[in-house]
Amino acid sequence: MPRRIAHERFKNISSRRALAELKEADVGEFVFRPSTRSEDAITLTWKFWREQFVHIDIQELDKMPGAAIG
């Protein structure tokens, strides 16, 4: 689900798209994207090493309903 987040590293893209974009990026690059697990979470997809990627779910707590993040 697309999210309203104003942050230079956030993109409304899927996990597959994030991996495709990071494949050619330098080790250490990352992108925040919507979580597929919850509307109250975002996911950090990080290029850990060459062809190794890490997905970290970040739970959004104590935010007002309908609030934008950024």
Side-chain angles (χ1 to χ4, degrees):
M1 168 183 283
R3 301 286 306 277
R4 293 183 317 143
I5 298 177
H7 188 277
E8 64 186 34
R9 294 287 190 139
F10 181 84
K11 295 184 178 186
N12 277 306
I13 58 176
S14 67
S15 174
R16 181 175 287 161
R17 178 66 189 248
L19 293 174
E21 288 188 12
L22 290 172
K23 185 174 182 175
E24 301 301 321
D26 293 333
V27 169
E29 289 295 315
F30 63 91
V31 63
F32 292 106
R33 60 183 180 79
S35 173
T36 57
R37 295 179 189 226
S38 169
E39 291 183 15
D40 291 327
I42 58 175
T43 300
L44 168 71
T45 300
W46 170 38
K47 185 172 185 175
F48 179 73
W49 186 247
R50 296 181 184 158
E51 296 292 321
Q52 297 178 354
F53 300 90
V54 177
H55 304 281
I56 300 170
D57 282 329
I58 302 167
Q59 191 70 33
E60 301 172 50
L61 303 172
D62 300 326
K63 71 174 187 174
M64 300 294 291
I69 300 173

